[in-house]
Amino acid sequence: MPNHLFDALFSARTQGDGTLFMADGVPSFDNKTFFDLSARIASVLVAAGVAPGDRIAVQVHKSIEALALYIACVRVGGVFLPLNNAYTQSELQYFVDDATPQVFIVDPDSETIAQQLTSPERVLTLSATATGSLMSAAVEAASMIDVADRGPEDLAAILYTSGTTGRSKGAMLTHDNLLSNAQTLVEYWQFSQDDVLLHALPIFHTHGLFVASNVILLCGGSMIFQSKFALDDVLSALPQATSMMGVPTFYTRLLSDERFNHDLVSHMRLFISGSAPLLADTHRQFEHRTGQRILERYGMTETNMNTSNPYTGERIAGTVGLPLPGVCVRVCDQHTHQSLPIGEVGVLHVQGPNVFKGYWQMPEKTAEELLPDGFFITGDLATIDDQGYVTIVGRSKDLIISGGYNIYPKEVELLIDEVDGVSESAVIGVAHADFGEAVVAVVVAEDNSGISVDAASIISALEPKLARFKLPKRIEFVEQLPRNTMGKVQKKSLRETYAEKSTA
Ligand code: MCA
Ligand code: AMP
């Protein structure tokens, strides 16, 4: 039966004997073995009651088997719901309650927690080394031959993205959102079956899952699949790669090591950066060291990739390039949504086959951000120059991006404000040499509450509730927060005050 994403991305590979994964310069996993594995995992999902349209929540370590699980999910017509490994039980509770997955696949170490979050018979396990109940059932299972019938507008995935109110929103991505973007990127970045992509990103976000993996699956290339970004491992794999995708922290860490030099990467075809601003200075240092110019692109969970510096044309440091083919962008007034003249700063809107279908079970939020003419309000402040290059100059949304992960201050503030002895708080992002931005909390203690509150007690109250990457790297106590005449906390002034001090 036709399955829009599976047919285009995977079918051509299922019978081929080419390589999908490389390790230490040699093929480690061929296409046929990989797709047979995904077909057996698909049988296990069907036996677990998964029907087309059901959500499949996944919080597992990165592995080849975890990627096969994603493909199995597409094969059975499920809606893939990947979750950051760092999420705590209380964060997971929200996602499970909101998305009501038919199955929840977790690392064996988290099995008991998962069984408390949903009914135990819905929980399957997959470890980093391919053990667990999912894999033992897959070894015994027959390959699922039939592929579920799914059209372009059917959902392929829900990815949660935090909201400015502190409540996460599930971005609904269709088969065509994912396929059209992968097709565009393969062509635009000239990926081919000769490519070997160094893949050190997590696979629970758009960047590592869709941009990196879908592009390689579609073009017929292969990947060096590393469990995480570890500097020594990346340096030793670079000689076998042709291309690499990363967040800016990957590139600043590489530049901090003298082994990363011209000779090590002179064979490389392409370095791509995204998910957070790449400093123009990093861009220039990279070129100075290697003779190569990083290609910076810009995207969002809700839209996949929107703009990119060109492959053959000029890659301009500090810009995110031109709209991708088929994608329209405009800069608009924040309040009226009217287009602004070239060069003016406004909110960036995007439209195209890449733009999501809306937020899961949040029609009002969807209507606020997805306009009737199909343009999505990104919340990023940008300018477009007369050549069409887009520069992101800030954000109208209160968001911190740290090492490529998004942290919404409201979520952290609400939890700090619940701590005994805290009157109120403001959470801001300040410049950080490694992560780009770091989370800093500015806290007002309650007068006369008799409870003494300090940084350690706040962190220990947050730890069970928040993923560790969201925890403040620093907590400052003040008598009162700066407010404007309307009573609104002046975060800009706080950012200026705390910019200088180290968060390391
Ligand atoms: C880890 N830690 C962090 C971060 N990562 N703190 C702040 N920000 C981070 N990004 C904390 C951990 O909680 C831990 O704290 C300590 O740092 C060390 O953890 P470890 O896991 O060893 O860190 P690492 O391996 O050095 O990880 C840093 C990293 C990683 C390699 C930059 O965060 C990463 O892979 N980031 C990529 C994120 C990504 O893929 N984003 C794409 C989103 P403690 O010691 O207290 O426990 S998709 C997207 O944005 C759109 C669509 C787009 O355009 O792509
Ligand atoms: P996410 O919600 O994880 O999809 O993050 C999307 C946000 O990351 C965007 O709205 C931007 O603020 C930011 N972003 C992604 N790529 C870039 C880039 N190249 N430069 C600046 N910001 C970026």
Side-chain angles (χ1 to χ4, degrees):
M1 278 192 274
N3 180 305
H4 192 67
L5 185 58
F6 185 89
D7 294 346
L9 269 193
F10 316 129
S11 276
R13 280 183 173 258
T14 51
Q15 296 310 316
D17 55 4
T19 300
L20 183 52
F21 296 98
M22 308 274 292
D24 301 327
V26 289
S28 67
F29 229 95
D30 66 41
N31 284 315
K32 198 163 172 332
T33 313
F34 181 76
F35 285 101
D36 181 52
L37 174 63
S38 89
R40 282 182 288 116
I41 295 175
S43 296
V44 179
L45 296 177
V46 171
V50 173
D54 284 345
R55 276 77 56 214
I56 297 170
V58 176
Q59 189 195 37
V60 297
H61 293 288
K62 181 178 176 183
S63 66
I64 291 175
E65 291 73 18
L67 194 70
L69 170 60
Y70 155 57
I71 289 159
C73 181
V74 180
R75 193 186 274 265
V76 302
V79 179
F80 193 63
L81 198 170
L83 295 160
N84 192 320
N85 292 100
Y87 289 148
T88 61
Q89 181 168 358
S90 68
E91 287 164 305
L92 292 174
Q93 181 78 64
Y94 171 81
F95 300 124
V96 171
D97 290 349
D98 192 52
T100 59
Q102 173 62 25
V103 290
F104 186 17
I105 300 155
V106 295
D107 185 83
D109 286 348
S110 308
E111 186 172 15
T112 313
I113 290 175
Q115 287 173 341
Q116 288 161 14
L117 298 176
T118 182
S119 47
E121 66 278 7
R122 292 182 191 272
V123 176
L124 289 165
T125 60
L126 170 62
S127 77
T129 52
T131 59
S133 59
L134 176 76
M135 289 310 293
S136 46
V139 169
E140 302 292 321
S143 296
M144 180 177 156
I145 312 274
D146 289 338
V147 175
D149 191 359
R150 294 274 92 184
E153 293 305 309
D154 285 318
L155 290 194
I158 295 179
L159 266 62
Y160 276 87
T161 137
S162 306
T164 41
T165 57
R167 210 178 142 213
S168 290
K169 304 168 287 184
M172 298 190 289
L173 295 155
T174 66
H175 276 235
D176 200 52
N177 290 151
L178 303 186
L179 178 58
S180 62
N181 211 235
Q183 287 169 329
T184 302
L185 298 178
V186 165
E187 202 166 317
Y188 202 74
W189 294 337
Q190 301 192 15
F191 271 89
S192 77
Q193 59 185 14
D194 298 330
D195 265 294
V196 180
L197 180 79
L198 180 43
H199 191 309
L201 289 156
I203 54 168
F204 42 70
H205 281 312
T206 297
H207 197 163
L209 184 62
F210 301 138
V211 186
S213 305
N214 281 354
V215 158
I216 286 298
L217 286 161
L218 184 66
C219 76
S222 53
M223 292 185 260
I224 301 169
F225 215 54
Q226 300 191 330
S227 59
K228 59 180 282 192
F229 182 92
L231 188 56
D232 286 343
D233 296 342
V234 169
L235 286 168
S236 68
L238 275 168
Q240 296 132 35
T242 62
S243 44
M244 178 175 151
M245 295 184 192
V247 297
T249 301
F250 286 17
Y251 295 111
T252 50
R253 287 188 183 181
L254 282 169
L255 285 167
S256 71
D257 194 303
E258 285 179 0
R259 291 171 292 171
F260 184 70
N261 60 28
H262 179 278
D263 290 349
L264 187 77
V265 298
S266 57
H267 66 288
M268 289 282 286
R269 183 179 76 78
L270 185 58
F271 288 96
I272 301 176
S273 177
S275 306
L278 181 77
L279 297 180
D281 185 48
T282 309
H283 194 280
R284 283 191 277 270
Q285 270 188 49
F286 194 94
E287 185 175 12
H288 186 248
R289 179 88 65 89
T290 66
Q292 305 208 29
R293 293 172 77 86
I294 298 175
L295 182 154
E296 184 171 9
R297 56 64 176 175
Y298 157 78
M300 286 186 77
T301 301
E302 288 91 335
T303 62
N304 292 285
M305 298 304 101
N306 297 311
T307 71
S308 170
N309 273 279
Y311 185 74
T312 46
E314 197 183 353
R315 299 178 194 168
I316 303 181
T319 82
V320 293
L322 305 158
L324 287 164
V327 177
C328 293
V329 297
R330 66 187 185 199
V331 167
C332 293
D333 181 276
Q334 191 170 344
H335 305 290
T336 64
H337 302 327
Q338 293 301 308
S339 274
L340 295 172
I342 281 181
E344 284 197 21
V345 174
V347 179
L348 192 70
H349 293 190
V350 301
Q351 183 216 49
N354 52 320
V355 174
F356 76 143
K357 207 171 176 165
Y359 294 112
W360 173 255
Q361 291 179 335
M362 287 189 177
E364 299 85 15
K365 272 271 156 224
T366 303
E368 273 171 34
E369 297 184 25
L370 204 49
L371 298 171
D373 59 3
F375 275 87
F376 173 66
I377 305 173
T378 64
D380 289 309
L381 298 174
T383 59
I384 304 179
D385 72 11
D386 53 6
Q387 305 296 305
Y389 280 80
V390 177
T391 302
I392 307 290
V393 298
R395 301 174 200 129
S396 65
K397 51 195 173 189
D398 192 12
L399 162 70
I400 300 166
I401 304 185
S402 175
Y405 288 142
N406 290 6
I407 298 134
Y408 275 86
K410 193 78 197 165
E411 185 185 7
V412 187
E413 287 162 3
L414 288 171
L415 291 171
I416 295 179
D417 294 352
E418 279 174 12
V419 177
D420 286 342
V422 170
S423 165
E424 60 173 345
S425 63
V427 167
I428 51 170
V430 301
H432 187 273
D434 187 31
F435 291 131
E437 281 185 289
V439 176
V440 170
V442 185
V443 174
V444 180
E446 243 167 25
D447 268 348
N448 312 318
S449 70
I451 300 166
S452 101
V453 66
D454 59 14
S457 59
I458 292 177
I459 292 291
S460 48
L462 297 183
E463 270 172 340
K465 298 177 182 163
L466 268 189
R468 296 193 69 80
F469 68 86
K470 299 180 192 169
L471 294 177
K473 302 274 188 233
R474 204 171 87 218
I475 298 182
E476 297 281 347
F477 288 88
V478 292
E479 292 289 314
Q480 58 181 28
L481 295 173
R483 293 184 186 275
N484 64 14
T485 48
M486 308 293 287
K488 195 168 181 290
V489 174
Q490 290 179 295
K491 289 204 167 177
K492 188 164 175 284
S493 137
L494 287 175
R495 279 191 286 268
E496 283 161 10
T497 307
Y498 296 105
E500 301 302 320
K501 294 172 86 181
S502 160
T503 42

mmCIF file of all heavy atoms in Angstrom, residues 457-471:
data_model
loop_
_atom_site.group_PDB
_atom_site.id
_atom_site.type_symbol
_atom_site.label_atom_id
_atom_site.label_comp_id
_atom_site.label_asym_id
_atom_site.label_seq_id
_atom_site.Cartn_x
_atom_site.Cartn_y
_atom_site.Cartn_z
ATOM 1 N N SER A 457 19.384 25.110 47.675
ATOM 2 C CA SER A 457 18.032 24.597 47.966
ATOM 3 C C SER A 457 17.128 24.765 46.742
ATOM 4 O O SER A 457 16.246 23.938 46.492
ATOM 5 C CB SER A 457 17.438 25.258 49.211
ATOM 6 O OG SER A 457 17.366 26.653 49.035
ATOM 7 N N ILE A 458 17.358 25.798 45.955
ATOM 8 C CA ILE A 458 16.554 25.963 44.731
ATOM 9 C C ILE A 458 16.903 24.856 43.735
ATOM 10 O O ILE A 458 16.012 24.197 43.184
ATOM 11 C CB ILE A 458 16.762 27.365 44.117
ATOM 12 C CG1 ILE A 458 16.145 28.407 45.053
ATOM 13 C CG2 ILE A 458 16.135 27.456 42.719
ATOM 14 C CD1 ILE A 458 16.339 29.841 44.610
ATOM 15 N N ILE A 459 18.192 24.620 43.542
ATOM 16 C CA ILE A 459 18.590 23.576 42.577
ATOM 17 C C ILE A 459 18.039 22.221 43.029
ATOM 18 O O ILE A 459 17.479 21.466 42.225
ATOM 19 C CB ILE A 459 20.134 23.517 42.414
ATOM 20 C CG1 ILE A 459 20.647 24.793 41.729
ATOM 21 C CG2 ILE A 459 20.558 22.271 41.638
ATOM 22 C CD1 ILE A 459 20.270 24.966 40.265
ATOM 23 N N SER A 460 18.122 21.918 44.332
ATOM 24 C CA SER A 460 17.628 20.588 44.709
ATOM 25 C C SER A 460 16.112 20.484 44.583
ATOM 26 O O SER A 460 15.584 19.409 44.336
ATOM 27 C CB SER A 460 18.149 20.100 46.062
ATOM 28 O OG SER A 460 17.997 21.103 46.986
ATOM 29 N N ALA A 461 15.414 21.620 44.682
ATOM 30 C CA ALA A 461 13.959 21.560 44.450
ATOM 31 C C ALA A 461 13.644 21.371 42.962
ATOM 32 O O ALA A 461 12.643 20.742 42.600
ATOM 33 C CB ALA A 461 13.314 22.848 44.952
ATOM 34 N N LEU A 462 14.505 21.903 42.101
ATOM 35 C CA LEU A 462 14.245 21.800 40.649
ATOM 36 C C LEU A 462 14.650 20.432 40.084
ATOM 37 O O LEU A 462 14.033 19.941 39.133
ATOM 38 C CB LEU A 462 15.025 22.878 39.878
ATOM 39 C CG LEU A 462 14.690 24.341 40.147
ATOM 40 C CD1 LEU A 462 15.508 25.248 39.233
ATOM 41 C CD2 LEU A 462 13.212 24.620 39.937
ATOM 42 N N GLU A 463 15.707 19.854 40.667
ATOM 43 C CA GLU A 463 16.300 18.645 40.067
ATOM 44 C C GLU A 463 15.307 17.530 39.724
ATOM 45 O O GLU A 463 15.381 16.972 38.630
ATOM 46 C CB GLU A 463 17.422 18.108 40.966
ATOM 47 C CG GLU A 463 18.747 18.723 40.587
ATOM 48 C CD GLU A 463 19.876 18.390 41.556
ATOM 49 O OE1 GLU A 463 19.601 18.004 42.709
ATOM 50 O OE2 GLU A 463 21.033 18.546 41.143
ATOM 51 N N PRO A 464 14.380 17.190 40.621
ATOM 52 C CA PRO A 464 13.482 16.086 40.244
ATOM 53 C C PRO A 464 12.492 16.465 39.135
ATOM 54 O O PRO A 464 11.861 15.598 38.545
ATOM 55 C CB PRO A 464 12.728 15.775 41.542
ATOM 56 C CG PRO A 464 13.172 16.741 42.558
ATOM 57 C CD PRO A 464 14.138 17.703 41.955
ATOM 58 N N LYS A 465 12.353 17.763 38.871
ATOM 59 C CA LYS A 465 11.282 18.202 37.958
ATOM 60 C C LYS A 465 11.771 18.644 36.593
ATOM 61 O O LYS A 465 10.991 18.712 35.645
ATOM 62 C CB LYS A 465 10.525 19.376 38.598
ATOM 63 C CG LYS A 465 9.865 18.978 39.905
ATOM 64 C CD LYS A 465 9.187 20.167 40.536
ATOM 65 C CE LYS A 465 8.575 19.780 41.878
ATOM 66 N NZ LYS A 465 8.270 20.938 42.687
ATOM 67 N N LEU A 466 13.035 19.002 36.495
ATOM 68 C CA LEU A 466 13.531 19.610 35.248
ATOM 69 C C LEU A 466 14.718 18.853 34.687
ATOM 70 O O LEU A 466 15.627 18.480 35.446
ATOM 71 C CB LEU A 466 14.032 21.025 35.545
ATOM 72 C CG LEU A 466 13.113 22.224 35.412
ATOM 73 C CD1 LEU A 466 13.952 23.489 35.548
ATOM 74 C CD2 LEU A 466 12.360 22.247 34.091
ATOM 75 N N ALA A 467 14.746 18.686 33.375
ATOM 76 C CA ALA A 467 15.930 18.129 32.706
ATOM 77 C C ALA A 467 17.147 18.951 33.092
ATOM 78 O O ALA A 467 17.063 20.190 33.208
ATOM 79 C CB ALA A 467 15.715 18.173 31.201
ATOM 80 N N ARG A 468 18.298 18.302 33.286
ATOM 81 C CA ARG A 468 19.455 18.999 33.832
ATOM 82 C C ARG A 468 19.939 20.145 32.943
ATOM 83 O O ARG A 468 20.462 21.131 33.439
ATOM 84 C CB ARG A 468 20.606 18.017 34.107
ATOM 85 C CG ARG A 468 20.263 16.993 35.162
ATOM 86 C CD ARG A 468 21.496 16.247 35.642
ATOM 87 N NE ARG A 468 22.403 17.087 36.399
ATOM 88 C CZ ARG A 468 22.268 17.422 37.677
ATOM 89 N NH1 ARG A 468 21.228 16.962 38.361
ATOM 90 N NH2 ARG A 468 23.149 18.184 38.278
ATOM 91 N N PHE A 469 19.762 20.035 31.617
ATOM 92 C CA PHE A 469 20.251 21.125 30.773
ATOM 93 C C PHE A 469 19.440 22.409 30.976
ATOM 94 O O PHE A 469 19.870 23.491 30.587
ATOM 95 C CB PHE A 469 20.289 20.722 29.283
ATOM 96 C CG PHE A 469 18.934 20.519 28.647
ATOM 97 C CD1 PHE A 469 18.235 21.576 28.107
ATOM 98 C CD2 PHE A 469 18.362 19.256 28.596
ATOM 99 C CE1 PHE A 469 16.984 21.396 27.521
ATOM 100 C CE2 PHE A 469 17.116 19.049 28.004
ATOM 101 C CZ PHE A 469 16.426 20.125 27.475
ATOM 102 N N LYS A 470 18.241 22.300 31.620
ATOM 103 C CA LYS A 470 17.426 23.489 31.876
ATOM 104 C C LYS A 470 17.754 24.136 33.225
ATOM 105 O O LYS A 470 17.275 25.236 33.522
ATOM 106 C CB LYS A 470 15.936 23.120 31.888
ATOM 107 C CG LYS A 470 15.402 22.537 30.595
ATOM 108 C CD LYS A 470 13.911 22.216 30.767
ATOM 109 C CE LYS A 470 13.359 21.383 29.647
ATOM 110 N NZ LYS A 470 12.005 20.861 29.966
ATOM 111 N N LEU A 471 18.521 23.441 34.076
ATOM 112 C CA LEU A 471 18.821 23.982 35.407
ATOM 113 C C LEU A 471 19.673 25.244 35.283
ATOM 114 O O LEU A 471 20.592 25.286 34.453
ATOM 115 C CB LEU A 471 19.591 22.953 36.241
ATOM 116 C CG LEU A 471 18.846 21.667 36.612
ATOM 117 C CD1 LEU A 471 19.786 20.726 37.372
ATOM 118 C CD2 LEU A 471 17.609 21.972 37.460
#
